[in-house]
């Protein structure tokens, strides 16, 4: 029987759970959506005027639905008990210790959520995997649920519904997704019915032809594969950026020419100081680990090399800064514009600014960091002991005052509209710009007097002679 869902609970009020549930509440006024989290401060923030995450368009939707059919609470058990469908979007970080350390996904939070679901469920539940998980997690979770539920006759149907939203554009991605993927045990009637229940939720706003169904394992693997393919494109163009610098080609022109081939397409070909974010590295490591576990060493190595290229790109950037500045940055003030892993988010997970920042500090630099959305506390958490060499600023011009160099680490739009003449005036000379995101007008900067390094672009004579090449 296909259940027409009227109550949904989401475990985990993070970057995925919060925006996704806000969108379901907006598009399905007949469904009561309750988002739960074990973190009281996080839930308090969701119930306040200052949401715990910055995402364009999210505030308006939360304000419109909150208290009507969208609720945020720490009453995890109560919300599970009363809901027909439970989304699980808890964090699944890379394991830090034990078997698979540094590669496999840590499912501690997932398992704990499953145990709670089992303990409090008195009626049938459809469980929806939202967090990215290793292939065949659903199978493991099903065992935990079945063995820990004390009420007889309770049925758990497990679905995989991987999230493809990108931070910064999450609300647009959720409003008009390229596709919604739903995996389930479609070989049996009950599995098919559970899938149909979730299809019906999305069909409130997503055209049917964009809702794809698949078997459980295919859906789980598709998420890992999609992120691996996207990251692979960035590593590929970044590898080209190194070659462009060595040969005098221009990576933007190469990317443009490549993207015009309809088989390749223009997206995700922006060379950068490196990809960050909570997904790409974690998912590739996870994918490669699964390959290793199946004895597919060559396949695993292929994917590891995508992460290796990303690390190379961040190191290469640090080396450029040091060698351009006469091989010493000791005690020089270097301003980092941007700290988030991409624009329009305050998220810093795996941000390239962290590794680049540590690299510059190792060489003796004093860092001045300005980011429009990242809090000082977050930077302190990410940089740890390095903070003794870092000052954070609320104004870009103060961060740049007396700086020897500026490194553009995030592609925030506001950086493009700064008065770069004024900036030149307050910096030490020679004033260096290292554009790790290719967002600035390099010719104009050179006219003003800056020495400019633009990643993947022909190296200007000043830098070539400073580096002795
Ligand atoms: C990614 C996937 O895009 C999304 O589908 C999935 O659900 C979660 O992971 P996200 O990490 O939020 O989303 O952002 P994304 O836009 O993919 O950017 C990831 C990183 O790649 C950022 O650091 C970004 O700056 C970098 N990037 C992206 C590039 O360096 N060049 C590009 O051309 C595109
Ligand atoms: P994502 O980017 O995948 O959304 P986040 O780390 O932003 O990841 O969010 C995951 C959320 O899940 C966190 O707020 C965390 O407190 C919450 N969480 C983890 N385990 C549980 C649990 N067992 N019950 C409820 N919430 C949980």
């Amino acid at each position: 029987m296909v259940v027409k869902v009227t109550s949904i609970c989401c475990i985990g009020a993070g970057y995925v759970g919060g925006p996704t549930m806000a969108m379901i509440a907006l598009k399905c006024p007949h469904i009561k959506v309750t988002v739960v989290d074990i973190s009281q401060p996080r839930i308090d923030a969701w119930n306040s005027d200052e949401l715990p995450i910055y995402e364009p368009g999210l505030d308006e939707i939360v304000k419109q639905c909150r208290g009507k059919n969208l609720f945020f609470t720490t009453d995890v058990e109560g919300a599970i008990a009363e809901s027909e469908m439970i989304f699980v979007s808890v964090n699944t970080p890379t394991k830090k210790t034990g078997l698979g350390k540094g590669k496999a996904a840590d499912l501690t939070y997932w398992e704990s959520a499953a145990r709670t679901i089992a303990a409090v469920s008195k009626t049938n539940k459809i469980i929806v995997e939202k967090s990215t998980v290793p292939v065949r997690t659903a199978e493991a979770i099903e065992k935990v649920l079945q063995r820990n539920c004390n009420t007889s006759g309770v049925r758990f149907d497990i679905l995989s519904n991987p999230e493809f939203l990108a931070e910064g554009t999450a609300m647009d991605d959720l409003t008009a997704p390229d596709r919604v993927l739903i995996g389930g045990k479609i070989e049996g009637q009950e599995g098919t019915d559970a899938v149909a229940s979730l299809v019906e939720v999305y069909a409130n706003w997503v055209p049917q032809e964009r809702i794809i169904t698949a078997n459980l394992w295919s859906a789980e693997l598709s998420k890992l594969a999609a992120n691996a393919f996207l990251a692979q494109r960035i590593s590929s163009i970044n590898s080209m950026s190194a070659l462009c610098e060595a040969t005098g080609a221009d990576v933007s022109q190469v990317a443009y020419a490549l993207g015009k081939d309809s088989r390749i397409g223009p997206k995700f070909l922006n060379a950068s100081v490196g990809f960050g974010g909570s997904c790409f590295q974690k998912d590739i490591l996870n994918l490669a680990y699964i390959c290793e576990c199946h004895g597919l060493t060559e396949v695993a190595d292929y994917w590891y090399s995508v992460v290796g290229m990303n690390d190379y790109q961040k190191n290469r950037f640090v080396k450029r800064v040091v060698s351009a500045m006469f091989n010493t940055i000791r005690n020089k003030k270097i301003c980092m514009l941007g700290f988030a892993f991409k624009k329009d988010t305050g998220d810093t997970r795996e941000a390239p600014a962290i590794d680049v920042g540590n690299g510059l500090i190792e060489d003796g630099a004093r860092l001045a960091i300005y980011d429009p959305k990242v809090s000082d506390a977050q930077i302190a958490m990410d940089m740890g002991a390095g903070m003794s060499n870092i000052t954070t600023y609320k104004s870009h011009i103060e961060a740049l005052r007396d700086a020897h160099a500026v490194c553009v680490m995030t592609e925030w739009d506001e950086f493009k509209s700064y008065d770069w003449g004024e900036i030149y005036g307050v910096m030490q000379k020679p004033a260096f710009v290292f554009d790790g995101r290719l967002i600035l007008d390099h010719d104009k900067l050179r006219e003003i007097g800056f020495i400019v390094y633009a990643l993947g672009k022909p190296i200007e004579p000043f830098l070539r002679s400073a580096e002795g090449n």
Side-chain angles (χ1 to χ4, degrees):
M1 198 188 67
V2 181
V3 177
K4 192 166 166 38
V5 175
T6 57
S7 54
I8 288 178
C9 162
C10 174
I11 307 180
Y15 284 92
V16 172
T20 312
M21 292 304 121
M23 187 56 66
I24 292 182
L26 180 74
K27 302 290 186 181
C28 311
H30 57 287
I31 299 180
K32 179 181 176 189
V33 180
T34 309
V35 188
V36 300
D37 203 293
I38 38 176
S39 161
Q40 186 71 54
R42 223 172 201 191
I43 289 299
D44 289 346
W46 279 108
N47 283 319
S48 75
D49 284 338
E50 186 112 355
L51 301 185
I53 62 174
Y54 171 69
E55 190 62 57
L58 176 64
D59 265 40
E60 292 81 347
I61 297 176
V62 169
K63 277 184 192 137
Q64 196 178 326
C65 302
R66 199 169 52 191
K68 292 192 185 107
N69 68 329
L70 177 63
F71 302 90
F72 296 93
T73 173
T74 50
D75 180 12
V76 181
E77 301 186 352
I80 292 172
E82 69 163 40
S83 301
E84 293 145 339
M85 183 174 270
I86 298 160
F87 285 75
V88 184
S89 59
V90 299
N91 29 341
T92 48
T94 306
K95 273 183 90 168
K96 289 208 175 71
T97 52
L99 200 65
K101 143 177 131 172
K103 303 173 188 173
D106 180 350
L107 292 177
T108 312
Y109 301 104
W110 227 115
E111 188 177 332
S112 144
R115 285 178 192 278
T116 314
I117 296 171
V120 303
S121 293
K122 302 268 183 282
T123 52
N124 295 348
K125 308 285 178 202
I126 297 171
I127 314 289
V128 186
E129 280 179 349
K130 229 358 166 181
S131 344
T132 314
V133 288
V135 184
R136 296 201 170 245
T137 298
E139 197 173 57
I141 295 302
E142 196 168 24
K143 287 187 190 132
V144 173
L145 288 167
Q146 276 161 359
R147 300 280 162 88
N148 287 281
C149 184
N150 295 324
T151 311
S152 63
V154 172
R155 226 192 112 68
F156 295 106
D157 285 296
I158 306 197
L159 304 179
S160 163
N161 173 216
E163 188 49 73
F164 294 110
L165 66 79
E167 287 173 34
T169 55
M171 303 326 285
D172 289 342
D173 297 343
L174 286 163
T175 306
D178 285 348
R179 79 310 207 179
V180 168
L181 177 59
I182 301 175
K185 291 193 173 168
I186 47 179
E187 45 297 332
Q189 187 58 45
E190 280 156 333
T192 306
D193 287 350
V195 168
S197 292
L198 185 54
V199 168
E200 202 212 48
V201 172
Y202 282 107
N204 282 291
W205 79 98
V206 180
Q208 285 282 357
E209 66 275 13
R210 294 201 174 202
I211 306 178
I212 306 170
T213 57
N215 75 35
L216 264 177
W217 328 132
S218 303
E220 288 177 335
L221 180 58
S222 300
K223 171 66 190 265
L224 294 181
N227 277 342
F229 272 56
L230 290 169
Q232 181 262 344
R233 277 176 77 94
I234 302 170
S235 277
S236 295
I237 198 69
N238 281 346
S239 75
M240 288 299 143
S241 73
L243 184 58
C244 285
E245 286 172 31
T247 56
D250 179 324
V251 75
S252 302
Q253 293 176 11
V254 172
Y256 183 75
L258 281 174
K260 283 289 175 192
D261 185 326
S262 61
R263 294 167 302 176
I264 297 173
K267 294 182 182 168
F268 268 69
L269 286 180
N270 293 323
S272 71
V273 59
F275 60 75
S278 71
C279 286
F280 283 175
Q281 175 163 316
K282 180 185 82 174
D283 288 354
I284 293 176
L285 293 176
N286 195 343
L287 180 70
Y289 181 66
I290 295 169
C291 294
E292 269 178 8
C293 292
H294 286 86
L296 302 172
T297 314
E298 289 80 359
V299 184
D301 288 346
Y302 174 73
W303 289 111
Y304 282 133
S305 74
V306 172
V307 174
M309 181 53 61
N310 201 44
D311 290 337
Y312 166 75
Q313 187 76 341
K314 290 181 274 188
N315 285 331
R316 205 167 76 74
F317 189 84
V318 172
K319 281 191 190 148
R320 275 283 183 212
V321 175
V322 177
S323 59
M325 296 174 75
F326 321 110
N327 274 321
T328 173
I329 53 172
R330 184 154 301 282
N331 284 325
K332 288 181 181 163
K333 177 177 176 181
I334 298 186
C335 171
M336 283 179 119
L337 281 183
F339 196 79
F341 81 95
K342 64 185 280 195
K343 74 171 181 179
D344 292 338
T345 179
D347 195 352
T348 62
R349 287 178 288 181
E350 306 295 340
I354 300 174
D355 285 342
V356 169
N358 281 325
L360 296 174
I361 289 171
E362 232 168 75
D363 246 278
R366 291 179 292 119
L367 295 189
I369 302 179
Y370 167 77
D371 186 286
K373 284 290 169 200
V374 178
S375 68
D376 293 355
Q378 187 59 52
I379 294 173
M381 213 137 64
D382 291 328
M383 298 308 292
M387 273 318 275
S388 52
N389 302 296
I390 296 174
T391 311
T392 53
Y393 291 84
K394 294 272 171 274
S395 127
H396 74 274
I397 204 78
E398 288 315 312
L400 285 153
R401 194 177 299 286
D402 295 323
H404 291 81
V406 47
C407 298
V408 178
M409 303 309 298
T410 312
E411 72 280 22
W412 285 103
D413 289 332
E414 67 170 63
F415 300 163
K416 293 187 237 176
S417 58
Y418 285 169
D419 180 343
W420 283 91
E422 181 196 8
I423 292 173
Y424 185 73
V426 301
M427 284 178 67
Q428 303 264 1
K429 310 295 174 318
F432 293 86
V433 172
F434 298 92
D435 187 352
R437 294 289 185 169
L438 300 182
I439 55 165
L440 302 178
D441 181 340
H442 306 127
D443 289 340
K444 200 166 150 208
L445 290 175
R446 288 191 181 106
E447 258 170 46
I448 294 171
F450 285 103
I451 309 294
V452 181
Y453 164 73
L455 202 137
K457 304 267 182 179
I459 303 293
E460 63 176 74
F462 184 102
L463 292 177
R464 221 177 284 130
S465 60
E467 293 171 16
N469 58 24

